Amino acid sequence: MPSRPREVRCPGYRRRDPTQSLLYELLREHLETFLAELDAHPGLALPRFVKRELRGFLECGVLAHGFARVHCTSCARDSLVAFSCKGRGFCPSCGGRRMSATAAHLVDHVLPETPIRQWVFTLPFSLRLRCAFDHELLAFVRRIFTRVVFSYLARQARAKALPSGALGFRSGAVNIVQRAGGSLNLNPHFHAVFIDGVYTRATLLGPARFHELPAPEPADVDWTLARIHSRLRSLFERCIDTEQEFESRETNELLLHLASASVHGQAATGDGNGRALPGLFTPEPDPRPERDSPKPSCSLVLLRIGRRATRFNK
């Protein structure tokens, strides 16, 4: 007697409903009025890419703005999947999906089975506003940061007397720009994952051999940061000297004003315009007098991830 086919149970597709979120209701009620008021004042209109992101969010995941019909051959069910806006700067759903897809791609197809260490590099305040608008400058700073860390890894390999082989010491990294700080303030900085070691080849076409390096000491971090600072010193001075020229070239006064206030953690509108905003975890003020110690202009934070990056599914 032939056996009955085994029933396959599918978990099913649960469609999200963005119209029930508070953010969606807020933009649906006030976005067009807000944009119309800004357009009525010369110099205060938002850029087109900002309007496109905000209006695209109101159409993301809503069936009335387009959908695809998907059929499951296992459970013979049809589902409607609404089109997404695929935004990069505002939509939480599209941003989270892009983040998860990028992390899965890096873990499955890019990062090798080696120790990984995260390096976080922050910029001085004098460069943050400029880097937020100048993509070439931001790419230049990122390139310097990456090359200096590579030179540090090669320096550590030479200190261990490792053979450099035919091609010298090679390593790898993935460097991603993070544009917001912990308070959602404008703070362009870099999150990079570096292979915690170097590769060498005995011959040009020979197999690559991995050499794990010891964890960086505080002196190593200081050396790396000082080298980055020395390479960017002339760039810092040039950006400070041309800050007024940069502001005059920026045509959108509202966007520049909001970005500048966000960088410095200040209120941008209202009676408290220009005042410092208190942070959620701001410590109590120290009653002792302040010391005349120089404040760091940039910083590095290191974190050992392990044998491989961990994959998170959203």
Side-chain angles (χ1 to χ4, degrees), residues 106 110-112 116-117 119 142 145-147 149-150 153 170-176 191-197 199:
L106 292 177
V110 178
L111 298 178
I116 301 293
R117 188 176 301 275
W119 294 65
R142 176 168 59 177
F145 165 47
T146 305
R147 290 179 177 177
V149 177
F150 281 157
L153 295 175
R170 301 295 180 91
S171 189
V174 177
N175 200 332
I176 297 178
H191 286 254
V193 286
F194 284 82
I195 297 175
D196 211 13
Y199 286 93

Side-chain angles (χ1 to χ4, degrees), residues 88 102 106 119-124 127 131-132 134-151 173-179 188-194 224 228 231-232 235-236 300:
R88 304 181 66 93
T102 302
L106 292 177
W119 294 65
V120 182
F121 177 60
T122 62
L123 299 172
L127 268 182
C131 286
D134 193 335
H135 299 288
E136 294 182 0
L137 176 64
L138 190 64
F140 179 75
V141 175
R142 176 168 59 177
R143 184 163 57 249
I144 289 180
F145 165 47
T146 305
R147 290 179 177 177
V148 169
V149 177
F150 281 157
S151 65
V174 177
N175 200 332
I176 297 178
V177 178
Q178 181 80 19
R179 298 185 62 86
H189 58 285
F190 305 97
H191 286 254
V193 286
F194 284 82
T224 305
I228 295 175
R231 293 193 179 188
L232 294 179
L235 185 63
F236 293 167
L300 277 173

Side-chain angles (χ1 to χ4, degrees), residues 215-228:
E217 299 291 338
D220 300 325
V221 179
D222 293 339
W223 179 90
T224 305
L225 188 58
R227 195 172 182 87
I228 295 175

Side-chain angles (χ1 to χ4, degrees), residues 40-63:
H41 297 79
L44 295 183
L46 291 176
R48 286 181 296 178
F49 74 91
V50 176
K51 297 179 181 179
R52 184 170 60 250
E53 285 276 342
L54 296 176
R55 287 169 173 158
F57 169 74
L58 292 178
E59 299 179 359
C60 182
V62 180
L63 294 176

Side-chain angles (χ1 to χ4, degrees), residues 2-42:
S3 59
R4 297 177 58 184
R6 183 179 179 182
E7 181 181 1
V8 179
R9 293 184 177 272
C10 296
Y13 167 71
R14 180 179 298 178
R15 189 179 69 86
R16 68 182 183 92
D17 188 2
T19 61
Q20 301 300 319
S21 66
L22 180 61
L23 180 61
Y24 185 92
E25 295 180 1
L26 180 65
L27 263 68
R28 181 179 56 187
E29 294 293 332
H30 304 287
L31 176 60
E32 294 302 329
T33 304
F34 173 70
L35 295 178
E37 292 180 355
L38 292 180
D39 292 339
H41 297 79

Side-chain angles (χ1 to χ4, degrees), residues 21-300:
S21 66
L22 180 61
L23 180 61
Y24 185 92
E25 295 180 1
L26 180 65
L27 263 68
R28 181 179 56 187
E29 294 293 332
H30 304 287
L31 176 60
E32 294 302 329
T33 304
F34 173 70
L35 295 178
E37 292 180 355
L38 292 180
D39 292 339
H41 297 79
L44 295 183
L46 291 176
R48 286 181 296 178
F49 74 91
V50 176
K51 297 179 181 179
R52 184 170 60 250
E53 285 276 342
L54 296 176
R55 287 169 173 158
F57 169 74
L58 292 178
E59 299 179 359
C60 182
V62 180
L63 294 176
H65 297 285
F67 60 87
R69 185 175 181 178
V70 181
H71 178 76
C72 179
T73 57
S74 299
C75 63
R77 291 183 177 180
D78 290 344
S79 300
L80 301 181
V81 180
F83 294 152
S84 61
C85 65
K86 298 179 175 60
R88 304 181 66 93
F90 186 80
C91 179
S93 176
C94 292
R97 181 170 60 252
R98 189 185 303 274
M99 176 187 65
S100 300
T102 302
H105 172 72
L106 292 177
V107 171
D108 295 339
H109 304 289
V110 178
L111 298 178
E113 293 283 352
T114 59
I116 301 293
R117 188 176 301 275
Q118 179 182 194
W119 294 65
V120 182
F121 177 60
T122 62
L123 299 172
F125 283 93
S126 58
L127 268 182
R128 292 180 184 180
L129 182 61
R130 183 70 178 266
C131 286
F133 289 90
D134 193 335
H135 299 288
E136 294 182 0
L137 176 64
L138 190 64
F140 179 75
V141 175
R142 176 168 59 177
R143 184 163 57 249
I144 289 180
F145 165 47
T146 305
R147 290 179 177 177
V148 169
V149 177
F150 281 157
S151 65
Y152 157 74
L153 295 175
R155 180 172 177 260
Q156 290 293 92
R158 288 190 294 269
K160 291 186 61 177
L162 296 176
S164 59
L167 298 177
F169 301 111
R170 301 295 180 91
S171 189
V174 177
N175 200 332
I176 297 178
V177 178
Q178 181 80 19
R179 298 185 62 86
S183 303
L184 295 182
N185 57 311
L186 182 60
N187 178 18
H189 58 285
F190 305 97
H191 286 254
V193 286
F194 284 82
I195 297 175
D196 211 13
V198 293
Y199 286 93
T200 59
R201 282 184 174 178
T203 61
L204 291 177
L205 301 179
R209 181 183 177 186
F210 177 73
H211 305 272
E212 184 175 355
L213 296 176
E217 299 291 338
D220 300 325
V221 179
D222 293 339
W223 179 90
T224 305
L225 188 58
R227 195 172 182 87
I228 295 175
H229 188 272
S230 65
R231 293 193 179 188
L232 294 179
R233 184 177 304 165
S234 60
L235 185 63
F236 293 167
E237 297 173 353
R238 185 164 63 251
C239 287
I240 294 175
D241 294 339
T242 60
E243 184 175 358
Q244 187 65 32
E245 179 185 355
F246 162 68
E247 293 182 359
S248 62
R249 290 200 309 266
E250 179 56 44
T251 57
N252 194 297
E253 298 179 2
L254 175 62
L255 183 61
L256 181 61
H257 174 69
L258 295 176
S260 178
S262 180
V263 165
H264 295 90
Q266 299 173 346
T269 59
D271 297 335
N273 185 10
R275 296 181 182 177
L277 295 174
L280 183 60
F281 302 103
T282 302
E284 294 293 333
D286 193 344
R288 296 174 297 180
E290 296 184 359
R291 299 180 180 178
D292 296 332
S293 57
K295 296 182 179 180
S297 58
C298 48
S299 62
L300 277 173

